[in-house]
Amino acid sequence: MSAFDEKIQPAQRIHDFKPYFFADLNRRIQTLKAQGMDVIRLDAGSPDLPPPDFIIQRLIESASRADAHGYASSGGSAAFRRAVSTYYRQRFGVELNPESEVLALIGAKEGVFHLSQALLNPGDVALVPDPGYPVYSAGGRIAGAEIYPMRLRAEQGWLPRLDDIPPEAARRAKILWLNYPNNPTGAAATMDFFAQAVAFARQWGVLIAHDAPYMEVGFDGYRAPSLLQVDGAKDVAVEFNSLSKTANMAGWRVGMVVGNAQVIRLLAIYKSQVDSAGFLPIEEAAASALMGDLSWIHARNRIYQQRRDLAVDSLQACGFNVEKPHAAIYVWARLPGGYGDDMRFCARLLEHCGVSITPGSIYGGGGQGYVRLSLCTPEERISTAMQRVRDFLSANKNGEDTL
């Protein structure tokens, strides 16, 4: 090994990290497609439906201006922050100061990760749902913090039992991560639970970081609340949101974090060292999305609901243990009897049938034996995928031993 190779080794804080699951999955799928396989993707939550025309038109108009291509304002334009504030007031009855309680993000994911870097020190504890979005744990580990997994269980509605957190962990905790409507389970939280979380945060001096990008995706008449609707929540909480799922703008990379002004300020300082803000025309289009007529979302959600019903009914017929979620864009299902290794099941299903679903284990130990299906695929493709799953299970009647 050369002197260069000896020195250029990963930093200790990322030494044990593997590539993000979906990055590796994309490479595997591209290889299979190059070999001629028809792959149906039910894995990533990337909306296949476009934003409505008025949002796209605003982007075109904004990008056509000669003065729209320089660096944008750090933390987001004043117009975007006002739009976020107006949206929260009209949708949730929550008052936000656009100057101090709203911060623009280049997609919510970067804000979720950066919050851990801005606040956590080695020895701090991050309370993380299990199963849960992997970035909560990854961000904490890279910051040098300890991760305390809060096990989510079906019989508890996939809500953490905050009273079960040991006092020692609660005392050292700095961030409590929540995510409702939930990824990967599709679970919804009640205002009573949010009130309990705020009381817990006050008791132990913990910041609640509520990751809530799915609040505008609801079924059967369900509309998700905001954590900030709890009295005094802004004293102990911030909430992440984005246009990715709200307005089908995942690739545009525009989101926001709102709430506690002190935390917003610290995150803004950190981000000022990392990025130079988003593209102004995208922020202007996002502001139009938030301020415009949101009635189109109802029709979009009906499409997701039809896909949900098809997927759930098909999986139940195949022996999966699954219930219909009331929100988000995922179906969370326990593998049929005879199958327990979700990583192996998903790998074989992809290789043999060209159906890509997500193993529950990537969301933590609480996801073992489960799989997640995304609803971001046209109904006819979901139907074909479900037939392939039926054929796969029929060909492996003895369960995991024959995979």
Side-chain angles (χ1 to χ4, degrees), residues 29 81 152 194 214 264 266 297 299 330 337 376:
I29 288 175
R81 287 183 277 111
L152 310 184
F194 283 155
Y214 302 99
I264 296 294
L266 295 175
I297 289 176
Y330 308 110
C376 299

Side-chain angles (χ1 to χ4, degrees), residues 287-299:
S288 293
L290 293 170
M291 297 288 290
D293 182 0
L294 298 178
S295 61
W296 68 272
I297 289 176
H298 301 305

Side-chain angles (χ1 to χ4, degrees), residues 374-391:
S374 166
L375 302 176
C376 299
T377 301
E379 198 168 339
E380 61 272 16
R381 293 288 279 171
I382 294 177
S383 180
T384 300
M386 293 299 96
Q387 182 59 55
R388 293 182 187 180
V389 171
R390 283 191 288 271
D391 294 343

Side-chain angles (χ1 to χ4, degrees), residues 56-114:
I56 297 172
Q57 188 58 39
R58 180 60 187 274
L59 174 67
I60 293 170
E61 293 170 356
S62 298
S64 297
R65 297 200 319 267
D67 65 348
H69 302 277
Y71 290 117
S73 299
S74 179
S77 69
F80 176 74
R81 287 183 277 111
R82 285 195 301 268
V84 172
S85 178
T86 300
Y87 165 75
Y88 262 81
R89 181 173 62 254
Q90 294 178 344
R91 172 69 168 83
F92 304 108
V94 171
E95 295 291 339
L96 295 170
N97 184 332
E99 298 297 324
S100 61
E101 296 176 333
V102 178
L103 183 72
L105 302 173
I106 307 174
K109 181 179 179 179
E110 63 98 346
V112 166
F113 177 84
H114 286 153

